[in-house]
Amino acid sequence: EDGSAGWLRYAPLPYASSYSSIPSSIIALNNTKSSPVYTAQQELHRGIQGILGKTLSNGTSTSKDGTIIVGTAHAYQKSYGDFDEAGDIEEDGYFLSIEGRQVLILGQNERGALYGAFDYLSRLAQGQLDTVSYVSNPHAPIRWTNEWDNLDGSIERGYAGPSIFFENGFVTENTTRVAEYARLLASIRINGIIVNNVNANATLLSARNIDGLGRLADAMRPYGVQLGISLNFASPQTFGGLSTFDPLDPTVDAWWANITNQIYARVPDMAGYLVKANSEGQPGPLTFNRTLAEGANMFARAAKPHGGIIMFRAFVYDNHINETNWKADRANAAVEFFRDLDGKFDDNVVVQIKYGPIDFQVREPASPLFSTLRNTSTAIELQVTQEYLGQQTHLVYLAPLWKEILEFDLKADNRSSKVKDIVSGERFRRPLGGSAGVVNNLYAYGLLAWDPSLDAEEILQDWIRLTFGHDPKVLETITDMSMKSWPTYENYTGNLGVQTLTDILYTHFGPNPATLDNNGWGQWTRADKFSIGMDRTVKNGTANAGQYPPAVANVYENIETTPDNLLLWFHHVIYTHQLKSGKTVIQHFYDSHYEGAATAQTLVKQWESLKSNIDSERYEHVLFRQTFQAGHALVWRDSINQFYHNLSEIEDQAKRVGNHPYRIEAEKMTLSGYKTYRVDPFHAASGATAIV
Ligand code: BDP
């Protein structure tokens, strides 16, 4: 068990032999290799063999010993006649019916049939064989991942090894792992994948790489996963040799149309393009005084004849903003850039919005841009890879964070306007919408993209049973660890909406609050000796609160009604400001850092209690990370507490700061082959000392 099978292990079900009502054959309504229905049939064989130890035959007609029929609803109707639910199945959706030994898995399209097969296998693997009959439809049409893979094989903000798509400047030759990955994606109903970094390299458009993209698409097509790519806005000039990349220049337009035709000739079902423009040094239309919409529409025109979609990112901001201007606020940027462009994007453009106004922090309010764009299709961008949240060395189960954003009601025009219903297209009646996840850790992301009303704990428990088996102790323990993991991480990193407090200059890992202010990146805390927090009120601050519809704006404008967990996001207060809990801000900082770090220690104990219940390879792998997290949580606790203690000179009422309970300083140990050195800034290591 090296974990590579993820949740698709198809481990033998306890007491499998006692199940009598298992079908004996499978009829696939399309036997063309590389069709998702064929894949579904293969998957059903593999899954039932693994889970129940039973080999099924390929049937052509139904048998009284039980048959699974898998295919599109349309193909089924042609051979077997109508069925009641046929009209209820929407694009990518499916009908699943289990009645004794007779099973129907019918998709609106082939991809839907494959999703239904995975759903059926997930039920079997969890021992659910009861009679059911239901239609499952997606909440939104776009359910994509964004890979941030570079052509040299590295991955921006990737923490799990090198790229499976690229190496040495080119698309990889061997696509075995690409197909394995597509299988995982299909099992959670992801239908599109952007394979390269948003900070895109134009040489992806070379003839050799276009052919390589075809290879990737061929490997993923049997799983119904459509390929898309990120583009570099300046490509016509830097790669194509033109003198300009002005989106309104006809030669530039023609260049994009031509290259798009070449790509579609090799990948006829390509999903579309993703574009990061005029942000963090990337080129874009603003360079030529053209609007972002004019830039996006240039790609839209090129892709339109092929049915392609343009995901245009709202992550546009100036990373040289000047902190001395008190009204400057990076959180305002997206609305400021996009507000006047609403309705000016072509119909096949979707504006892709990060969930909060800044950048994947441990706690942010929902982006106000979701309620600003009413005549533009939008999608939510989530970060599954834990860039600011521990980088795969800290346990942080993210579904509760995503749920909080998706369920947030922006109350546009005083009507219910949940983020999930805006990005599905429903609230503002848009034809497109959905979600994009910058990935790593997938299962809950895919299921919430399909159905955001699912409960975070139930998704987690399905994942645990599929990944670690049916032992109730394993289920209970991992559920408990995961459900408290986000609040725990928030406790020992940045509280009260002040942001994660990681190093901001590049790594985004480890405590370094001193780097957050006095720089152009705009992720400011505005902490000084007396006070902390960004004043984002309309009355005295940067007016960010005013970007929300009035019913929400009033809540954030007023310090009394702002929830404690976003207090420092919207308000600048003295350290002794009293929270609704009765504590002062600074005492809350101290206490929650102790509480969070203490909980991180117990996670190790909880995991150790599962030693005899989990295979040793995965047990040791996770234990290593939990142990690291426990240690790093203490570093976080002491660094942050010392930093604010030093800045505010306000005593911890419990007199703990600097005492480091249960911490053994490395420099106090017997060092063999290590030397101590002074750390700058001092608070990044306790006692300002580290070893090397
Ligand atoms: C930031 C990441 C950076 C990405 C950027 C983006 O640190 O690596 O390029 O987001 O989303 O959070 O474009």
Side-chain angles (χ1 to χ4, degrees):
E1 291 274 5
D2 63 2
S4 60
W7 51 88
L8 296 179
R9 291 160 62 243
Y10 301 143
L13 195 59
Y15 317 114
S17 55
S18 62
Y19 293 113
S20 54
S21 56
I22 302 302
S24 63
S25 64
I26 306 177
I27 300 176
L29 300 177
N30 182 356
N31 284 311
T32 322
K33 284 202 174 130
S34 95
S35 79
V37 166
Y38 178 79
T39 308
Q41 186 192 35
Q42 301 301 305
E43 201 65 35
L44 288 164
H45 279 302
R46 178 173 170 181
I48 291 170
Q49 180 70 56
I51 299 165
L52 301 171
K54 199 169 162 184
T55 309
L56 271 54
S57 58
N58 280 339
T60 43
S61 59
T62 51
S63 117
K64 66 172 180 359
D65 292 336
T67 313
I68 301 174
I69 302 180
V70 60
T72 63
H74 181 69
Y76 178 85
Q77 283 165 313
K78 274 210 322 221
S79 305
Y80 300 92
D82 228 346
F83 62 105
D84 288 349
E85 294 79 0
D88 301 336
I89 318 176
E90 295 166 14
E91 190 170 350
D92 288 358
Y94 59 88
F95 170 60
L96 174 64
S97 157
I98 308 173
E99 207 182 329
R101 292 165 175 233
Q102 304 297 346
V103 178
L104 285 182
I105 305 173
L106 305 176
Q108 186 270 350
N109 51 21
E110 292 232 348
R111 184 190 279 148
L114 177 59
Y115 294 167
F118 276 118
D119 186 8
Y120 173 62
L121 289 170
S122 168
R123 299 179 75 87
L124 281 188
Q126 298 186 67
Q128 301 161 2
L129 294 156
D130 22 322
T131 300
V132 289
S133 166
Y134 58 86
V135 168
S136 180
N137 287 322
H139 186 72
I142 296 170
R143 303 178 306 280
W144 293 8
T145 63
N146 289 180
E147 315 291 329
W148 284 358
D149 293 36
N150 295 312
L151 268 60
D152 66 2
S154 64
I155 303 179
E156 180 144 345
R157 314 302 178 185
Y159 311 106
S163 173
I164 58 172
F165 303 110
F166 306 106
E167 54 192 337
N168 304 322
F170 299 103
V171 176
T172 48
E173 296 294 329
N174 182 340
T175 55
T176 311
R177 297 191 69 191
V178 175
E180 282 168 9
Y181 185 49
R183 174 173 170 254
L184 284 170
L185 294 179
S187 76
I188 50 167
R189 308 165 205 179
I190 299 288
N191 60 1
I193 174 175
I194 299 287
V195 286
N196 63 310
N197 193 354
V198 284
N199 299 316
N201 184 333
T203 63
L204 182 64
L205 304 176
S206 71
R208 174 169 166 186
N209 276 333
I210 290 178
D211 189 53
L213 291 172
R215 205 160 49 241
L216 298 180
D218 293 345
M220 296 192 281
R221 190 169 295 110
Y223 296 93
V225 178
Q226 285 173 265
L227 173 130
I229 58 173
S230 293
L231 295 179
N232 186 301
F233 206 91
S235 306
Q237 189 174 57
T238 57
F239 177 71
L242 303 188
S243 60
T244 177
F245 56 93
D246 178 350
L248 295 193
D249 184 310
T251 59
V252 172
D253 215 44
W255 191 87
W256 280 116
N258 176 34
I259 203 89
T260 303
N261 293 343
Q262 287 176 39
I263 302 171
Y264 273 92
R266 183 63 181 87
V267 188
D269 56 352
M270 190 175 73
Y273 293 141
L274 173 65
V275 182
K276 170 177 179 177
N278 289 114
S279 180
E280 301 185 333
Q282 291 299 325
L286 303 180
T287 316
F288 299 94
N289 281 329
R290 310 301 186 196
T291 69
L292 294 169
E294 285 167 333
N297 293 343
M298 170 181 69
F299 300 110
R301 281 192 298 278
K304 177 104 181 168
H306 307 282
I309 290 173
I310 310 306
M311 305 295 283
F312 195 81
R313 293 178 92 217
F315 187 68
V316 180
Y317 76 102
D318 172 10
N319 57 320
H320 303 287
I321 33 177
N322 178 357
E323 183 169 17
T324 54
N325 169 9
W326 278 79
K327 297 278 180 197
D329 187 357
R330 173 173 161 188
N332 286 342
V335 168
E336 284 171 357
F337 275 110
F338 284 84
R339 180 172 35 209
D340 297 335
L341 301 176
D342 191 20
K344 299 202 168 126
F345 291 92
D346 286 359
D347 263 359
N348 56 335
V349 175
V350 177
V351 173
Q352 179 171 312
I353 307 171
K354 288 193 184 189
Y355 63 81
I358 295 248
D359 202 359
F360 303 140
Q361 297 300 293
V362 68
R363 169 94 46 191
E364 295 193 38
S367 169
L369 190 58
F370 291 118
S371 52
T372 309
L373 298 180
R374 314 278 178 97
N375 299 303
T376 305
S377 298
T378 58
I380 188 168
E381 180 175 315
L382 302 172
Q383 198 183 40
V384 186
T385 185
Q386 293 169 238
E387 175 178 353
Y388 291 90
L389 301 180
Q391 305 189 353
Q392 211 130 313
T393 59
H394 292 236
L395 173 66
V396 186
Y397 176 51
L398 292 168
L401 184 165
W402 300 333
K403 282 285 287 182
E404 213 162 288
I405 300 285
L406 289 165
E407 299 290 349
F408 187 77
D409 188 350
L410 282 156
K411 302 191 177 142
D413 302 331
N414 279 320
R415 279 180 48 200
S416 167
S417 309
K418 292 194 172 175
V419 172
K420 65 177 183 186
D421 298 324
I422 294 174
V423 299
S424 68
E426 198 179 313
R427 174 64 181 85
F428 299 126
R429 295 168 204 258
R430 298 297 312 162
L432 290 171
S435 45
V438 182
V439 299
N440 220 320
N441 198 322
L442 284 174
Y443 186 82
Y445 168 67
L447 291 192
L448 283 177
W450 181 268
D451 181 1
S453 71
L454 290 174
D455 181 70
E457 186 165 323
E458 278 170 25
I459 298 175
L460 172 70
Q461 296 205 326
D462 285 352
W463 177 82
I464 296 169
R465 279 187 289 263
L466 295 170
T467 309
F468 291 108
H470 295 252
D471 185 331
K473 184 171 170 199
V474 171
L475 185 74
E476 199 182 304
T477 309
I478 301 180
T479 302
D480 184 62
M481 291 170 70
S482 304
M483 290 308 291
K484 66 189 177 201
S485 60
W486 173 38
T488 297
Y489 186 79
E490 184 178 24
N491 272 343
Y492 62 72
T493 59
N495 321 120
L496 304 174
V498 76
Q499 302 180 73
T500 316
L501 303 180
T502 54
D503 162 78
I504 199 59
L505 298 179
Y506 188 72
T507 66
H508 304 172
F509 184 68
N512 202 346
T515 59
L516 282 155
D517 293 282
N518 304 314
N519 67 52
W521 294 89
Q523 288 180 233
W524 303 322
T525 65
R526 294 205 166 140
D528 59 20
K529 181 170 167 37
F530 308 101
S531 49
I532 184 167
M534 281 289 287
D535 187 337
R536 294 192 158 105
T537 61
V538 176
K539 196 155 166 245
N540 303 312
T542 70
N544 177 257
Q547 289 188 343
Y548 292 85
V552 172
N554 292 339
V555 171
Y556 292 150
E557 180 74 16
N558 183 341
I559 201 163
E560 299 303 322
T561 49
T562 303
D564 278 351
N565 61 22
L566 286 174
L567 179 78
L568 302 181
W569 185 277
F570 285 108
H571 301 278
H572 185 81
V573 299
I574 53 173
Y575 288 107
T576 50
H577 173 85
Q578 205 177 52
L579 299 169
K580 297 186 180 57
S581 67
K583 276 187 193 172
T584 63
V585 164
I586 190 74
Q587 194 57 41
H588 179 94
F589 264 46
Y590 295 148
D591 290 349
S592 53
H593 281 83
Y594 274 89
E595 200 185 306
T599 307
Q601 313 309 305
T602 65
L603 295 177
V604 182
K605 300 269 172 312
Q606 284 185 284
W607 186 255
E608 281 173 342
S609 77
L610 302 179
K611 187 169 171 52
S612 56
N613 309 61
I614 286 181
D615 55 282
S616 60
E617 194 167 352
R618 291 187 300 172
Y619 172 80
E620 294 297 338
H621 186 87
V622 174
L623 181 63
F624 177 80
R625 282 169 168 68
Q626 292 295 174
T627 309
F628 178 89
Q629 176 180 4
H632 202 208
L634 298 179
V635 174
W636 266 103
R637 177 196 71 189
D638 295 345
S639 299
I640 299 295
N641 280 351
Q642 285 184 34
F643 179 82
Y644 289 105
H645 179 246
N646 185 61
L647 192 63
S648 68
E649 295 180 19
I650 297 173
E651 285 308 315
D652 170 17
Q653 282 165 11
K655 306 242 180 297
R656 293 162 302 196
V657 176
N659 288 346
H660 320 303
Y662 35 81
R663 178 157 178 179
I664 302 167
E665 301 292 332
E667 65 268 25
K668 302 268 164 57
M669 297 180 180
T670 310
L671 299 177
S672 152
Y674 289 91
K675 318 189 280 242
T676 60
Y677 73 103
R678 301 286 294 167
V679 169
D680 181 27
F682 74 91
H683 56 271
S686 57
T689 308
I691 60 167
V692 65

